[in-house]
Amino acid sequence: MSYEALERRLLVSYVNPMNTSSKCSRCGSRLKDNSGRIMRCSRCGFTGDRAVIACINLFHRYLRCRVLGGASELLQAQ
Ligand SMILES: [Zn+2]
């Protein structure tokens, strides 16, 4: 198995994708769902494609998960 595939499997196993596309990647506040692809933060003005935002948020969550090495931290955050 390639390293990349292993990374992807880890991501799928450890990161809960719930709500990742509805949180601002910059300030963490809740994004308004305007039922389109583009999400906008009313607090800081951050604007982005929901898929991109979800990706960024997943990446952040994944990094935090790796750093703390804990699923317990993830569970508490839900
Ligand atoms: Zn924001």
Side-chain angles (χ1 to χ4, degrees):
M1 189 187 289
S2 73
Y3 181 71
E4 192 184 330
L6 192 67
E7 285 279 308
R8 199 170 300 155
R9 232 177 61 148
L10 281 173
L11 195 71
V12 171
S13 321
Y14 291 115
V15 178
N16 186 340
M18 279 274 277
N19 298 325
T20 44
S21 62
S22 59
K23 249 179 107 180
C24 176
S25 307
R26 192 188 283 166
C27 72
S29 76
R30 203 169 171 78
L31 292 173
K32 212 173 211 175
D33 189 349
N34 57 6
S35 70
R37 280 182 60 92
I38 304 300
M39 307 284 280
R40 189 176 192 281
C41 177
S42 53
R43 195 204 270 177
C44 73
F46 177 83
T47 308
D49 187 290
R50 73 161 65 220
V52 175
I53 291 170
C55 229
I56 295 169
N57 289 345
L58 269 176
F59 185 63
H60 285 169
R61 203 177 283 191
Y62 175 54
L63 282 183
R64 194 178 56 197
C65 182
R66 279 184 76 181
V67 168
L68 299 177
S72 58
E73 192 268 345
L74 260 183
L75 287 172
Q76 283 167 14
Q78 294 305 310

